[in-house]
Amino acid sequence: MEIDLSRVIVTSGATAHTTEVHHRDFSEIRADGGSAKEAAAHLANKLTLALDTALTDWRRETIGRAIADVEAFVKQAD
């Protein structure tokens, strides 16, 4: 599985003190946090929850790749 950190998009959050993160392939799933790392950790959790509603193997694999990208982003942010 190829990890691509450029798929993790970081933008300003809803307030001046938050950051919002989403994955390029799942722009409808977003997470906020006090930092990009914190928001990305929340995003990984939200994507993991999305696995419950993935009805096909292709969708589960796509979500799995997104989770791997986001988890690599969190580790890189250390």
Side-chain angles (χ1 to χ4, degrees):
M1 180 182 316
E2 184 179 330
I3 302 297
D4 186 355
L5 297 180
S6 70
R7 293 180 187 149
V8 180
I9 311 300
V10 179
T11 59
S12 299
T15 67
H17 303 290
T18 61
T19 302
E20 183 178 87
V21 176
H22 71 275
H23 191 275
R24 183 190 69 194
D25 296 339
F26 296 95
S27 60
E28 70 278 8
I29 302 174
R30 296 170 180 260
D32 285 327
S35 66
K37 179 181 177 179
E38 181 182 320
H42 291 305
L43 179 60
N45 290 336
K46 286 186 171 191
L47 288 167
T48 300
L49 290 173
L51 284 171
D52 290 340
T53 59
L55 300 178
T56 64
D57 289 337
W58 172 82
R59 187 69 169 172
R60 282 188 287 280
E61 289 171 10
T62 305
I63 295 172
R65 284 194 298 274
I67 292 169
D69 290 344
V70 173
E71 287 176 343
F73 179 88
V74 170
K75 288 179 184 174
Q76 177 255 348
D78 283 336

